[in-house]
Amino acid sequence: MRKPIIAGNWKMNMTPSEARKLVTELVPLVRDAACDVVVCTPAVDFAAVNEVIKGTNVKLGAENMHWEASGAFTGELSAAMLKESGVEYVILGHSERRQYFGETDATVNKRVLAAVKAGLTPIICVGEKKEDREAGYTNALVSYQTLIALSGLTADEVKRVVIAYEPVWAIGTGLTATDEQANETIGVIREAVRSVYGDAADDVRIQYGGSMKPANCKSLMAQPEIDGGLIGGASLKAEDFSKIVHFDA
């Protein structure tokens, strides 16, 4: 059995004082969660969030990282910087990073390798645009993105990564893939992993990351291939996020 994982992606939201208030509200609401709970915050919030979640079941995640250990990369953060800040998870290859900041499948792979080497758990984002789905390219595209991102990892290392399927057309639009569409595509991703890494695919947790919210989380999480959610807007409200964490209540 794969343990579900619900991770919040705060994006460019929450000052340190706002972050402290949010997680202070969140911690008691998710104390008895049956799933792993992660908040992926802006770097300026790491210290404030860590003060509150230390000793709880809530884990800290980052929203991106560079693949180099150090160097002339103004504005970037290394894996070692994240680790020393208390970070355990890191989102890599989010569609917004690809769309606005020039991320490519190749640079996502470099980040994945660096994160795993450092002992961080990467949450690797893959997904198609609306035109890709309409043209029938979804399965080929997400399979390609997945295998490029994992390239260079061993089967044991692959077991430790998290993959987030995020249909780009469903992010921040209010649109959501149907339960069956999400389950089918996540199944395709798992089979792509299996084609290279064999039974390790059975241990890989694959989230749905397209506008999961309290109203639809239960039905999405009931699908056999879906192991969790990468939550955007709903993660910015403690009550909403906690309802997703308790999807099985």
Side-chain angles (χ1 to χ4, degrees), residues 214-234:
N216 63 18
C217 64
K218 188 166 187 176
S219 60
L220 282 164
M221 290 299 296
Q223 297 294 318
E225 295 288 357
I226 299 178
D227 303 316
L230 182 60
I231 316 302

Side-chain angles (χ1 to χ4, degrees), residues 28-240:
L29 295 176
V30 300
R31 181 173 290 124
D32 300 321
C35 63
D36 287 337
V37 182
V38 184
V39 289
C40 299
T41 80
V44 295
D45 296 336
F46 291 165
V49 171
N50 250 332
E51 288 176 12
V52 180
I53 67 173
K54 190 171 295 183
T56 76
N57 62 319
V58 179
K59 304 301 182 184
L60 180 62
E63 298 177 12
N64 190 37
M65 58 162 268
H66 200 273
W67 60 85
E68 293 290 354
S70 63
F73 303 103
T74 301
E76 294 289 338
L77 299 173
S78 70
M81 292 173 182
L82 300 187
K83 289 274 288 185
E84 193 163 318
S85 299
V87 170
E88 297 184 43
Y89 293 79
V90 57
I91 299 171
L92 299 175
H94 192 279
S95 62
E96 290 159 2
R97 299 297 311 176
R98 296 175 188 256
Q99 180 178 355
Y100 302 127
F101 303 103
E103 291 275 352
T104 67
D105 293 318
T107 60
V108 170
N109 174 243
K110 289 182 178 182
R111 287 173 164 83
V112 169
L113 294 176
V116 170
K117 181 179 179 181
L120 296 167
T121 298
I123 299 175
I124 305 166
C125 299
V126 301
E128 83 282 16
K129 297 178 182 177
K130 186 177 181 181
E131 56 266 31
D132 298 324
R133 176 166 282 275
E134 290 175 346
Y137 297 148
T138 295
N139 292 359
L141 181 62
V142 298
S143 297
Y144 175 83
Q145 289 178 326
T146 299
L147 293 181
I148 292 296
L150 300 178
S151 180
L153 297 181
T154 67
D156 283 340
E157 289 170 335
V158 166
K159 291 178 182 180
R160 306 204 315 267
V161 310
V162 176
I163 299 172
Y165 166 55
E166 44 159 23
V168 179
W169 48 271
I171 299 172
T173 64
L175 299 173
T176 310
T178 66
D179 301 344
E180 294 75 20
Q181 283 176 325
N183 188 69
E184 178 184 1
T185 305
I186 287 175
V188 168
I189 293 168
R190 195 177 307 284
E191 288 309 306
V193 177
R194 192 182 310 281
S195 71
V196 175
Y197 298 98
D199 290 344
D202 294 327
D203 293 316
V204 177
R205 295 186 290 180
I206 307 179
Q207 302 172 308
Y208 175 67
S211 296
M212 185 183 284
K213 43 193 178 284
N216 63 18
C217 64
K218 188 166 187 176
S219 60
L220 282 164
M221 290 299 296
Q223 297 294 318
E225 295 288 357
I226 299 178
D227 303 316
L230 182 60
I231 316 302
S235 69
L236 299 175
K237 297 179 179 179
E239 185 175 354
D240 285 353

